[in-house]
Amino acid sequence: MKTTMKAAVLKGLETIVMEEVPVPEPKSGQVLVQVKASALCGSDLAGYSGHHSMIKWPVILGHEASGIIAKCGPGVDNWKEDDLVVIEPLFTCRKCQACLSGKYNLCADLKFAGHQVNGSLAEYVIAESRFIHRKPENVSFEEAALTEPASSPLHAVERCGIRLGDFVVIIGCGVTGFFTMQYVLSKGAEVLITDPAEFKLKIAEELGATYTLNPEKVNLEERVKALTGGMGAGCVIEAVGISETLASTVSLVKRGGTIMLIGYSEKESESFDLSTVTLAELTVLGSLAYCNDFPAVLKLMSMGKVKIKPIISHRLPLERVEEGIQMMKREEEGLLKIVISYD
Ligand SMILES: [Zn+2]
Ligand SMILES: [Zn+2]
């Protein structure tokens, strides 16, 4: 086996350097995975721009990956070399109250690959053996790499308590919004999804949106009221994370309804009408990452119940990671998910 590997190392503010670094050694309970596909994420851009509290350079970015087991560390007996896997990129303490209660996504010492630990934008990456999952045969490495960004929306949707026939508003047609929409639709609810980018609304239609709306052209609150007999939506899912859209959720939801905040930005969001939360007895929920959600997502992918291909807009080789992040920074037209492929 090789002893060094190519890696895209975030070295400083807006500086990624391709370096030849030592192949890491899996410790007890860990595996070394040869990366076959690794996707770029908004949090990579945030880290690159110095706006992510968990990403400190120098670090190899990347937390959305699939690959082949290259080596098992001591004590790993349920996996073997050449197994095809999807990585749940977490490292947890296994000792805190959250870990002991099974809610490992709330671990007091939660670490992500590509954030506090070296990630998958390299030829090899380390993963915890208890956080890897077998890649279904009929799911490509590229699609499988999107299990991670598809899992946070599943975790969030499962927390919303959506029921057959509900009317749900999703704000934002990013990757998160698109996965969220597909899960909500599969729960038998109607979805109105919004975004100011017309190309994204077209993809939303392809993915089965009941209604799409461009808030720069049509008044969202009036449209929601018109479609719900004046009541408002049973559930509003905010998948952008800016104060303007966060503030709007309260006026879109019906009395007794639910607001889910998956959108996240490092900036403080100051405007949220808490008196209406009380007076309309709203349920306001947050959602962090995923916890035991990867198996369901992989099953849905294997069954063809969640579409991935329309969400992948670009493919680049490892050497062009920085270029991909720059494309995200420029918010290039037509850009959704960039997958780094290794062949
Ligand atoms: Zn991500
Ligand atoms: Zn813990």
Side-chain angles (χ1 to χ4, degrees), residues 69-314:
I69 294 184
K71 188 175 181 182
C72 292
V76 177
D77 47 19
N78 52 340
W79 295 98
K80 57 181 190 330
E81 273 177 37
D82 298 331
D83 280 346
L84 312 185
V85 295
V86 173
I87 297 168
E88 189 172 349
L90 303 183
F91 297 84
T92 60
C93 77
R94 310 175 79 166
K95 293 185 292 235
C96 72
Q97 183 270 337
C99 281
L100 293 175
S101 71
K103 292 188 176 181
Y104 60 78
N105 60 321
L106 304 181
C107 172
D109 191 26
L110 183 65
K111 292 188 174 73
F112 282 85
H115 289 27
Q116 306 96 329
V117 177
N118 278 332
S120 54
L121 289 169
E123 289 178 277
Y124 295 90
V125 65
I126 294 287
E128 293 284 351
S129 65
R130 65 203 173 94
F131 286 140
I132 53 177
H133 306 268
R134 201 167 296 281
K135 182 185 81 64
E137 264 175 38
N138 64 345
V139 175
S140 67
F141 281 114
E142 194 175 72
E143 292 169 300
L146 268 68
T147 310
E148 199 271 355
S151 288
S152 319
L154 186 94
H155 189 73
V157 168
E158 292 291 21
R159 284 171 56 65
C160 290
I162 291 159
R163 304 181 57 168
L164 283 164
D166 276 352
F167 186 94
V168 177
V169 173
I170 298 172
I171 300 173
C173 288
V175 172
T176 298
F178 284 144
F179 283 121
T180 302
M181 183 183 81
Q182 295 189 67
Y183 301 139
V184 172
L185 288 168
S186 69
K187 292 210 175 265
E190 285 186 306
V191 172
L192 183 156
I193 190 163
T194 77
D195 203 281
E198 290 291 337
F199 85 90
K200 292 185 179 174
L201 295 178
K202 287 213 179 67
I203 296 170
E205 280 163 26
E206 256 177 68
L207 293 171
T210 326
Y211 307 98
T212 59
L213 182 145
N214 183 336
E216 288 173 356
K217 294 184 179 164
V218 179
N219 183 294
L220 174 58
E221 187 178 343
E222 284 172 16
R223 180 86 174 122
V224 170
K225 293 277 155 70
L227 288 167
T228 57
M231 284 209 312
C235 179
V236 177
I237 303 178
E238 205 284 340
V240 181
I242 59 174
S243 9
E244 193 188 341
T245 49
L246 281 168
S248 74
T249 55
V250 176
S251 62
L252 303 173
V253 72
K254 71 178 182 188
R255 292 172 68 77
T258 299
I259 295 170
M260 164 55 78
L261 308 175
I262 338 180
Y264 174 72
S265 94
E266 293 271 311
K267 297 187 197 101
E268 270 178 53
S269 35
E270 63 287 339
S271 48
F272 196 81
D273 177 8
L274 293 173
S275 57
T276 302
V277 171
T278 301
L279 295 175
E281 201 177 89
L282 304 181
T283 302
V284 181
L285 299 169
S287 185
L288 176 66
Y290 28 77
C291 184
N292 300 313
D293 296 296
F294 270 53
V297 170
L298 286 165
K299 179 165 272 187
L300 290 168
M301 283 184 183
S302 178
M303 291 164 71
K305 299 258 182 193
V306 57
K307 295 197 185 81
I308 312 287
K309 288 209 173 82
I311 295 174
I312 299 174
S313 62
H314 293 75

